[in-house]
Each structure stands twice: as C-alpha cells, then as structure tokens.
Amino acid sequence: MIKWLLLAIIVITTVLGDLVQSYEMKRSGAQRVDARGLGRIVRLIFSRGKLSIGILCMAVSFFAFMALVQNAPLSFAVPASAATFVLETVLAKLVLKEVVGMRRAVGALLVLCGVVLLAR
Amino acid sequence: MESAVIEEREALEQLVEKPAPVAHRASRTGRRRTFLLVLAVTIFNCLGNLSLAWGMKHAAVQVGLSPTGYLRDMLNPFVALGIGLLILWLLTRMALLSWADLSFVLPVTALGYFLAAVAGRVFLNEPISRSQWLGTLLIFAGTVLVGSTGHRTRHHAHEVHK
C-alpha cells in the first residue's frame, strides 16, 4: 500500500530532520530572530552539510505528507504522523541527552492523546 | 579532501564563536523571549497551512505525485503566500531550536494544532465534534505542562559538540 510507504518516508525524514536540526542549531549557539539573524540561519543551511541534509529531509517529509493527505484520509495522516512525536522525544533523551523529566513526559503524552483525538 | 576542509572550517568557527549566551540567563527575559518565539513559530505554521490548504482546495489540478503539478499550483497566490509563511516558520523554528530543547519545542509548538482547530472552526466553518474539543483541550493542557519545564536542560554549549 502506497500510504504505508509514504508514512514510513514521513516518519524517517521527520525524525532525522528534527534531530539533525536540533543538534546543529545548538552547536551554532543562540541565534537572533531579526532579519540578520534569519539571514544567518539561511547561510548556515547552505554552509553546513549536515544541516543541508536536515532541511532536505524536512522538504521530503513535507511533500510526502501532501501526497499522503491526497491518498488517505486526514484521520489516518495526522495521528500517524504523531508517531514521530514519541520517537523524537525518546531520541532527544537518548541521543541529544536532553533531560525529559516527569512533567515533560506527561505533557508530551497529553499532547499526543490530544492529536489522536483531534484527528478522529 | 573537500569534507576535511569543511570540518576544519567548522572547527575554526567553533573556536571563534562565543558559547550560547542563553545558557547564562535562565532569567525571566530569556523565558519570555522563548514564549514569544514559540507563539511566532506556531502562528507562522498555522497561517501558512491555512493559506496553503485554501489555495490547494481552489487549485485546478490534482497534484498526486507528479512534480509538474506542484509547480503549476505554486502560481496560485494563496499557495505562494502559504509557502512563504512556511519558510518563515522553518527559519524561526530553527532559531528556537538553537536555544531550546527539541523535547521542549515539539510539544509546545503542538499549540498549533489547537490554533488550527479554532481557525478551521472560525474561518472555514469546519464543524468540531465533542471528541475533537476534548483533543484540543488535552493538547492545551499538555502544552502548558511542558511549558512549565525549563526550556534548556543542556546548559553548556560545548558539551553538545561531543
């Protein structure tokens, strides 16, 4: 089924893209949000190989999601893409070594339940 | 050969760049600025998706998987505006990721789902069922809970480099 293939592409590219972005952006130090700051981020995207791959992943994920929405109902597409949410939080703890305490974990689970309910 | 040069340049950049200033001020301003940015990121995301959905709904061609279909749709002004807003969303979200945890950013920016449901109800007249209201409520509660945790748990920028 094409929808499972698209879903697999979405999950893999979203998780990879977000992890790489988070890692690389932390490495670059706190960025400013004015025009110059955003311009600097654009330059970072083109000058750092890993960051370019991360953004490419986001683009693939975006187009795969558009294709999924046209091949399957939103009630499948939205909760399925919420799976990335759990995976990313776990990997943020394991790979990025972020501290995911009780409050953060419970909050993330509440959001996940909410997203699944919203799509029904 | 080329990658070695790039690595060398990155190593130099790290030497030149100051460590993240955010690390030193977990003060009120840092927190308030973070929430303002979270708000901007979610609003760009919502408006971008709304504009894109509106444009695609009224586009003449069904896209499917063909790239030419996508290109033709980009001529639609709503689609173009949506794409512009989503590019802004991507850049502001990257700025946010430069000073806040991924496990903080993800649930907190899920506030966008909440805003999207409300916007869909108000602007597109989409009906919202009882379970969907419950869903938006849970998302809101979860967002508030995660928002009450510190946005940066790794304080030393150089630790992340390893």
Side-chain angles (χ1 to χ4, degrees):
Chain A
M1 279 293 267
I2 184 138
K3 70 176 184 180
W4 292 107
L5 178 68
L6 287 171
L7 180 62
I9 294 174
I10 291 168
V11 171
I12 292 168
T13 51
T14 308
V15 170
L16 197 66
D18 274 347
L19 284 179
V20 169
Q21 271 183 81
S22 186
Y23 178 82
E24 284 289 308
M25 290 315 290
K26 296 243 165 22
R27 227 177 55 130
S28 72
Q31 300 294 322
R32 289 167 29 182
V33 200
D34 52 11
R36 275 181 63 190
L38 295 185
R40 183 155 188 270
I41 294 176
V42 172
R43 280 204 302 280
L44 279 177
I45 292 174
F46 289 105
S47 63
R48 291 209 173 148
K50 278 185 213 143
L51 205 51
S52 315
I53 293 171
I55 299 303
L56 193 71
C57 282
M58 297 298 279
V60 171
S61 155
F62 173 76
F63 285 111
F65 188 77
M66 299 263 275
L68 179 62
V69 166
Q70 293 192 333
N71 285 287
L74 264 185
S75 56
F76 172 81
V78 173
S81 56
T84 61
F85 199 86
V86 182
L87 208 56
E88 281 184 47
T89 304
V90 171
L91 289 176
K93 186 178 168 67
L94 297 181
V95 180
L96 302 178
K97 310 281 185 225
E98 290 174 3
V99 180
V100 182
M102 197 59 181
R103 261 192 300 176
R104 198 176 274 189
V106 170
L109 278 177
L110 281 182
V111 171
L112 179 71
C113 295
V115 171
V116 173
L117 271 180
L118 196 63
R120 281 217 312 192
Chain B
M1 178 73 187
E2 203 176 82
S3 67
V5 173
I6 290 172
E7 269 176 30
E8 200 179 1
R9 201 177 61 194
E10 279 180 354
L12 267 176
E13 272 176 17
Q14 282 169 30
L15 279 178
V16 172
E17 273 170 3
K18 287 176 285 184
V22 156
H24 305 295
R25 50 169 159 77
S27 66
R28 208 174 295 154
T29 41
R31 202 162 172 76
R32 200 169 64 200
R33 278 184 58 201
T34 303
F35 282 110
L36 282 179
L37 188 53
V38 165
L39 209 61
V41 169
T42 43
I43 287 172
F44 282 140
N45 190 15
C46 265
L47 290 182
N49 282 332
L50 199 68
S51 177
L52 200 65
W54 182 270
M56 295 297 274
K57 239 176 222 172
H58 297 85
V61 246
Q62 267 276 310
V63 242
L65 289 168
S66 80
T68 50
Y70 282 118
L71 289 179
R72 238 175 303 163
D73 278 350
M74 282 179 193
L75 297 176
N76 179 305
F78 282 105
V79 174
L81 177 68
I83 290 172
L85 285 169
L86 286 178
I87 289 174
L88 265 179
W89 164 71
L90 187 77
L91 294 179
T92 47
R93 187 172 179 267
M94 287 173 79
L96 179 59
L97 279 173
S98 78
W99 75 62
D101 286 350
L102 182 61
S103 59
F104 175 87
V105 170
L106 282 177
V108 165
T109 51
L111 196 60
Y113 287 106
F114 175 81
L115 291 180
V118 174
R121 179 82 187 84
V122 174
F123 296 113
L124 303 177
N125 244 343
E126 290 172 352
I128 298 182
S129 68
R130 194 175 284 181
S131 70
Q132 282 172 325
W133 276 121
L134 182 63
T136 49
L137 211 67
L138 283 181
I139 292 173
F140 191 70
T143 304
V144 170
L145 201 59
V146 174
S148 71
T149 65
H151 59 271
R152 184 78 183 262
T153 56
R154 299 277 313 217
H155 284 285
H156 302 289
H158 61 267
E159 272 183 50
V160 187
H161 295 170
K162 285 180 201 163

